[in-house]
Amino acid sequence: MKKTLVFLLVLGLFSTMVFAQGGKEAPAADAKGQYVIKMATPSNPEDNCVKAFYFFEKIVEERTDGRVDVQVFDSAQLGAHRDYIEQMQMGSLQAAEINTAVLSGFDSKFMAFDLPYLSKSVEHLQSVLDAGLDAKLSASLEETTGLKVLGWMIRAPRNLYNSRNPVKVASDFNGMKVRVMESPIMTRTFELMGAVPVPLSAAERYMALQTGVVDGAENSVGIIVSQKEYEVTKYVSLTAHNITPNIIAFDKKYFDKLPGDIQQVLVAAGKEAGAYATKLDSDNEAATIAQLKELGMQVNEIPDKSTFTAAVAPIYAQYRDEIGGDIIDAFLK
């Protein structure tokens, strides 16, 4: 009898430890800090998406009275976007920032965000998501990957920055080695503009710029500052070729095992954190461009983008069937 009691006590302690470390067994609902949510992001704490993760941590822990312990791992401590997807599917990570360009490799519908000049502004993209694209893509992602979308963090427009020369017309790209996200559409986009695209993870970008593996990269201006990539580049050209969101992704299997009240908190917090990141990026864009100038970068405006839009025009027809005409048309209404 005594051995049985000892065995049951040890088994109970082990089960609690498993869940706290990211396992699938649900603990007692009233335990403080018992529901552990590990969140990963590749960016530094200065980045607006990372700030949104810490905002998410704060409001979730407050609204659950400490029952949920959110742990944010920034600065690529747990790898890059693709690593996070695998870790969530394995159950060792509960939530992460994932760029939609990486998601497009798992679900072709997400390729729509990579199509150049499809989104006209941050507000335009937000309105398309709110009109039903959010729900459609979220349901599709759950089916294909087992990941749940809790929030959309829309970045400021993506621009070209490099150490070789300013870019004002498409021909200025000729022969330029440009780091792009791991997306076939982004690769094709820069090929059409005459560049040599080099797909690399976000964690490899700074070193590639520093060592000359690539001449330049493309991203929102906030990333150039937060990742200190102004140290290894000279020119910023406001091509505004893409407006892409990063999602707050969650392991759906883990989510479904949580109590209903905590699920509601997470859904609300994810939406608020997404809006928080989007607002930070938009509100700070002009100030960030001014900061880049102060840091010694040459910034050039491009009021006429017709050479870029003409160069990439064939890509819409090329990917229409793969993405889905209804998805593309949602942006064109």
Side-chain angles (χ1 to χ4, degrees):
M1 180 67 178
K2 186 178 295 185
K3 289 183 179 179
T4 301
L5 287 173
V6 170
F7 173 77
L8 290 174
L9 285 171
V10 171
L11 180 62
L13 178 60
F14 176 76
S15 298
T16 299
M17 291 173 64
V18 165
F19 190 91
Q21 294 172 6
K24 298 300 183 183
E25 295 301 321
D30 294 332
K32 290 280 185 179
Q34 197 76 36
Y35 299 99
V36 176
I37 294 175
K38 293 189 291 185
M39 301 181 73
T41 168
S43 299
N44 295 333
E46 295 82 6
D47 180 65
N48 290 330
C49 286
V50 182
K51 291 177 182 177
F53 268 33
Y54 283 107
F55 175 72
F56 178 92
E57 175 186 19
K58 180 176 184 293
I59 60 179
V60 167
E61 291 182 351
E62 286 179 352
R63 294 174 188 177
T64 61
D65 192 28
R67 290 163 63 200
V68 176
D69 175 18
V70 178
Q71 301 172 1
V72 177
F73 295 84
D74 57 42
S75 307
Q77 294 179 64
L78 300 182
H81 295 294
R82 192 172 294 274
D83 302 316
Y84 304 156
I85 294 173
E86 295 172 357
Q87 290 169 32
M88 284 186 285
Q89 290 175 331
M90 292 172 59
S92 60
L93 181 68
Q94 288 70 57
E97 172 193 352
I98 308 291
N99 192 283
T100 51
V102 175
L103 288 174
S104 67
F106 297 83
D107 188 333
S108 61
K109 295 182 182 65
F110 282 81
M111 288 183 176
F113 297 111
D114 299 342
L115 287 172
Y117 299 106
L118 184 61
S119 294
K120 307 307 178 188
S121 65
V122 170
E123 293 75 20
H124 174 229
L125 174 51
Q126 186 68 66
S127 69
V128 174
L129 287 170
D130 292 344
L133 189 61
D134 173 357
K136 180 179 291 189
L137 292 179
S138 297
S140 181
L141 189 68
E142 287 186 22
E143 183 178 348
T144 57
T145 66
L147 302 182
K148 183 179 183 65
V149 179
L150 289 189
W152 299 83
M153 304 182 288
I154 303 177
R155 289 290 197 181
R158 301 180 75 90
N159 302 293
L160 188 282
Y161 55 108
N162 75 98
S163 56
R164 198 183 77 168
N165 58 265
V167 171
K168 297 182 180 179
V169 294
S171 60
D172 292 331
F173 275 107
N174 287 345
M176 183 182 294
K177 294 178 293 183
V178 180
R179 178 268 173 183
V180 297
M181 292 187 287
E182 298 162 281
S183 155
I185 290 184
M186 287 196 169
T187 296
R188 184 59 182 149
T189 294
F190 281 88
E191 287 175 345
L192 288 170
M193 289 196 285
V196 180
V198 182
L200 293 171
S201 72
E204 298 174 279
R205 192 176 56 236
Y206 184 98
M207 184 64 71
L209 289 165
Q210 185 180 46
T211 59
V213 170
V214 295
D215 301 308
E218 52 81 49
N219 224 314
S220 57
V221 290
I223 288 289
I224 306 175
V225 173
S226 66
Q227 303 303 112
K228 296 182 171 35
E229 291 173 8
Y230 54 82
E231 297 174 343
V232 289
T233 52
K234 182 176 181 181
Y235 307 99
V236 180
S237 302
L238 302 182
T239 50
H241 51 275
N242 276 108
I243 299 173
T244 58
N246 291 0
I247 68 164
I248 301 173
F250 209 96
D251 171 10
K252 190 174 185 299
K253 288 182 180 178
Y254 186 97
F255 181 90
D256 288 345
K257 290 183 179 292
L258 293 170
D261 63 322
I262 288 180
Q263 290 180 359
Q264 292 176 8
V265 168
L266 294 176
V267 169
K271 187 172 182 179
E272 291 175 40
Y276 182 74
T278 300
K279 188 173 189 305
L280 284 178
D281 242 37
S282 294
D283 289 353
N284 296 339
E285 184 182 13
T288 303
I289 290 173
Q291 184 180 0
L292 287 172
K293 292 178 180 178
E294 293 174 0
L295 290 166
M297 297 200 77
Q298 179 181 317
V299 179
N300 63 281
E301 303 276 350
I302 311 175
D304 180 5
K305 298 181 177 63
S306 59
T307 63
F308 304 128
T309 56
V312 302
I315 205 166
Y316 286 82
Q318 180 180 349
Y319 283 95
R320 184 174 180 83
D321 290 342
E322 189 171 356
I323 294 171
D326 58 328
I327 302 288
I328 295 175
D329 290 343
F331 289 86
L332 303 176
K333 293 178 181 178

